[in-house]
Amino acid sequence: MKFSGISKLLTLVILTTLAFTTYSCSTSKETTEATSNDGLDDLSFTLEKSGAVLWGETCGRCHNAPDPTAFSDRQWDAIGSHMRIRAGLTAEETEKIVTFLQQSN
Amino acid sequence: MGKKLLLLICTLLLSAGPLLAQTYNEEAKQDLESLKPGTSNFLARGYSHAGFQSIDGNSSFVSGQYAPILMWKQGDRILFESELEIEFEGDGVQFALEYANISYILNDYAILRVGNFLTPFGAFNDRIHPAWINKLPTAPLGMGHDPVGPTNEFGAELRGAADLGNSKFNYSLYLSNGSILSVHDEDSTSAPEVSLSGLNFEDNNNEKAIGGRFGFLPFNNSALELGVSAQYTSNIANKDFDYGKVGMLNYAFDLSFVKNSIQPIKGNIDIKAQWNQSNIDEFELVLPDGDELIFDQKSSAYYTQIAYRPSLSSSPFLSKLEFVGRYSGIDLPEASEEHGDEPETTSPKVSENGTSNSLRLKSLFTPEVVGGGEEEEVHNEGDRTQIAFGINYWISWRSVIKFSYQITDNNEDTFSGMYLHYALGF
């Protein structure tokens, strides 16, 4: 009974993960490195994600993306640090998301 | 001269509009700022929930959990954070300090945190347990009250996150006092009670717990996160414990997949799963009457959950609904009925003098530290599995009405529960 329950759980998790991983792989190339092919090999650029995109993707890992007008600029600063620590955000993600929220409130 | 004067007047008239508009916008923004909850470095956030529930035929309104999170940011590097839990319990109101700690941001990749903090053991305890984040009114079995695994540490932690090409990772590594194992065997006529608590704020021995969690996000849209956690303590018993050192090893695996606005299904998918395992070294208890009991505690808990919200539906009502399903279970070691009795259950341990028995922890970890306002169903003894279904209606991004129905099976009977809760994050 116990083994059966765990097996079902693991099977379900593995199957769902594989399915959505496949989907995710095929649709998650928002950040792209591109190099020109006209002979200027040193001319490369990176399309970086905006704070708005990161706000949707990163906050949504645990909860709904917050309304920018819900807090003041100073509060978003403190909340950004809180979420960086709590949810394991990178420093760059945190800075971009906080800047977006401060500019949008 | 006349043309210059005319030009000057025209210029002044043309610039007056934008200047007035800018002044108006600044005033409007200041008015708006004054209406927001606060503009100082001090910030009070938190969550609350209340509702109605019927468990195994007993219905009741439940209310009044208030969990304020207080934060103070000092400069760019220091953040103080604490969470209180105030709720009705028994005949009165219970106050609990869930955590209080200070973080210092060392650089882009490392943060030092000291004090009392939620154990980064899996993801549910650390991130998902607040009532407005957890998608069902109850916690999964073994993750809420009486959890399998640690929930709260007194110690020092290094944590951070970084990019790894198009992938990302986050980490936590900590040293802490660990848990306390207590044996209450004063009464020789009955089996001793063994309890485990996470509230080890004055360490009961010199052996520290070491633990951490590593989370890996393979895709640059952060949709998938895979986590592995572990904690080891060479001794959780008191220094003068009669039965020697008792070690403990806990480990957990967690998975999260969240993808919003998927066109083919016109909505969001949220999948969560976690498996916790807790192993305490085996030790013998010698009772005053000479009998020996072997204590052997290996327990596990697991859950998987899927939620779908048709956020892209053309119907405003449908777009605010969310459908949730969850399967969870907890496996505890079998226990004897009473001291000296032959256990009815399988694989009893046999001590040197031939006495066979086994004991179950009276309490796993301190329940107060992880409840998160989520009411645990009442049948909390023994192995159980549970299936739960829920429908949520999101009033706003942080305000939700949750309806759920769940069936718990303890291998002998099944029990049902119905919940209608309102949860608010603020």
Side-chain angles (χ1 to χ4, degrees), chain B residues 235-250:
Chain B
N235 185 25
I236 55 175
N238 291 334
K239 272 187 282 194
D240 55 353
F241 191 53
D242 295 337
Y243 309 101
K245 290 186 176 181
V246 179
M248 181 170 71
L249 174 66
N250 305 303

Side-chain angles (χ1 to χ4, degrees), chain B residues 219-232:
Chain B
F219 308 121
N220 70 348
N221 62 0
S222 302
L224 179 67
E225 180 171 0
L226 303 168
V228 57
S229 316
Q231 185 194 74
Y232 174 72

Side-chain angles (χ1 to χ4, degrees), chain A residues 72-89:
Chain A
S72 66
D73 289 358
R74 278 194 179 183
Q75 288 177 325
W76 279 127
D77 188 40
I79 291 168
S81 297
H82 162 70
M83 294 313 306
R84 178 182 169 190
I85 295 165
R86 189 74 170 265
L89 308 187

